[in-house]
Amino acid sequence: GAQANVWTEYIPTEKHFEYMVFPRLCAMAEILWSPAEKRNYVDFIQRLDTHYQRLDKKDIAYRVDAPIGFQPYNRVLEDSTTVSLNCSIPSAEIRYTLDGTMPGRKPLQLSLAANKKVIAKTFLKNGKESKALTGVFEKTMLLPGVKLPNPQKGLQYNYYDQQFSSAKAIADKPTKSGISDSIVFPKWIDLKKEWFGLEYNGYIKIDKEELYTFYLNADDGAALYIDDVLIIDNDGYHYAQEKV
């Protein structure tokens, strides 16, 4: 058999619990009750519309998939850009706004320009709606390259033996500084310490003029800057998560 465990430390109400397990339990039933040769994900997604109606009649709360199509921060080189929004629910309708307000019943048919804040939601036929997907679109420029006269291997690191409210708040004189061959915690740091700050500075070698994607995985606060511009904001208190 299989299990669908739910840890309820942060689930304060029964409705919140229902929201956390539906429609996941529908997918669980599909996997366990259907022979492998008859499982069809596309068909299952289409049949979910009927499941939603059953859940509504029983007054069971459930999650509606939010749209996908952009990140919280989106930088483009052109004066305008095109955004394609998708949702896993075929019958759902996706609506968006560009003026900072939450999407309503009236869909907007607009071409998206740069330097805009986009808020999108998924709406089911029964009126249920998803959480909002929010992203900022900003026009940017390619950064000029820097030629180092005498490049050296390694990254400059600064270690701070104190508590900070966020990674962006790290400041003051470091407790210790040095050179590291890679972005790893130096072995002498006591990882059992509840609070400390670590900062790396250096250069990356880029041989080709292209668009590059950066990933930052962190448990609690982290931020990536390039040429003093905040590229990835993964700051604040949170579980391990990756931002792009």
Side-chain angles (χ1 to χ4, degrees):
Q3 296 182 144
N5 298 335
V6 179
W7 313 115
T8 58
E9 292 93 329
Y10 302 104
I11 299 180
T13 66
E14 184 175 345
K15 285 299 178 186
H16 188 185
F17 168 77
E18 293 174 354
Y19 174 88
M20 296 300 292
V21 299
F22 286 100
R24 290 176 174 177
L25 282 184
C26 299
M28 186 84 172
E30 182 77 8
I31 291 295
L32 295 178
W33 296 348
S34 300
E37 63 274 10
K38 291 188 177 181
R39 293 174 195 158
N40 185 303
Y41 179 74
V42 175
D43 180 63
F44 167 71
I45 290 297
Q46 293 174 341
R47 285 186 279 116
L48 268 183
D49 280 338
T50 304
H51 286 307
Y52 292 143
Q53 296 175 26
R54 295 189 179 106
L55 294 173
D56 287 335
K57 289 181 179 179
K58 293 181 177 293
D59 192 30
I60 295 176
Y62 55 89
R63 181 184 183 275
V64 178
D65 273 358
I68 57 173
F70 54 81
Q71 301 291 335
Y73 297 96
N74 307 269
R75 294 175 172 87
V76 296
L77 297 174
E78 296 79 18
D79 291 330
S80 63
T81 188
T82 301
V83 177
S84 297
L85 292 169
N86 298 289
C87 176
S88 63
I89 307 171
S91 64
E93 185 177 23
I94 299 175
R95 307 190 188 104
Y96 65 90
T97 61
L98 303 175
D99 58 3
T101 60
M102 284 296 170
R105 299 300 302 178
K106 184 178 180 181
L108 297 176
Q109 301 295 330
L110 298 174
S111 59
L112 179 65
N115 301 318
K116 293 288 186 178
K117 181 177 183 179
V118 184
I119 302 178
K121 276 188 174 184
T122 299
F123 290 83
L124 300 185
K125 293 179 179 180
N126 59 15
K128 291 278 177 60
E129 60 188 64
S130 70
K131 290 185 177 180
L133 172 69
T134 302
V136 175
F137 287 77
E138 177 184 357
K139 183 181 178 181
T140 188
M141 294 168 40
L142 292 176
L143 296 175
V146 175
K147 291 187 177 181
L148 301 180
N150 185 26
Q152 301 293 322
K153 181 181 179 181
L155 294 165
Q156 170 78 35
Y157 71 79
N158 294 321
Y159 170 75
Y160 301 83
D161 188 10
Q162 56 182 295
Q163 177 179 343
F164 298 99
S165 60
S166 69
K168 292 191 287 290
I170 293 178
D172 300 327
K173 186 177 179 180
T175 307
K176 187 175 181 178
S177 299
I179 300 296
S180 175
D181 287 339
S182 59
I183 303 178
V184 296
F185 291 127
K187 294 181 179 180
W188 48 263
I189 292 183
D190 181 6
L191 297 181
K192 295 181 180 179
K193 288 178 63 68
E194 187 173 1
W195 306 102
F196 65 85
L198 199 57
E199 179 184 50
Y200 292 94
N201 290 286
Y203 292 86
I204 55 176
K205 184 180 180 182
I206 296 179
D207 297 317
K208 200 173 180 183
E209 186 178 277
E210 294 282 357
L211 294 177
Y212 292 87
T213 302
F214 292 87
Y215 302 82
L216 182 60
N217 193 313
D219 185 348
D220 285 338
L224 173 67
Y225 292 82
I226 297 181
D227 201 27
D228 294 327
V229 175
L230 180 60
I231 302 299
I232 303 180
D233 188 351
N234 201 356
D235 213 349
Y237 299 132
H238 54 71
Y239 52 86
Q241 64 180 11
E242 182 178 77
K243 289 197 174 180
V244 182

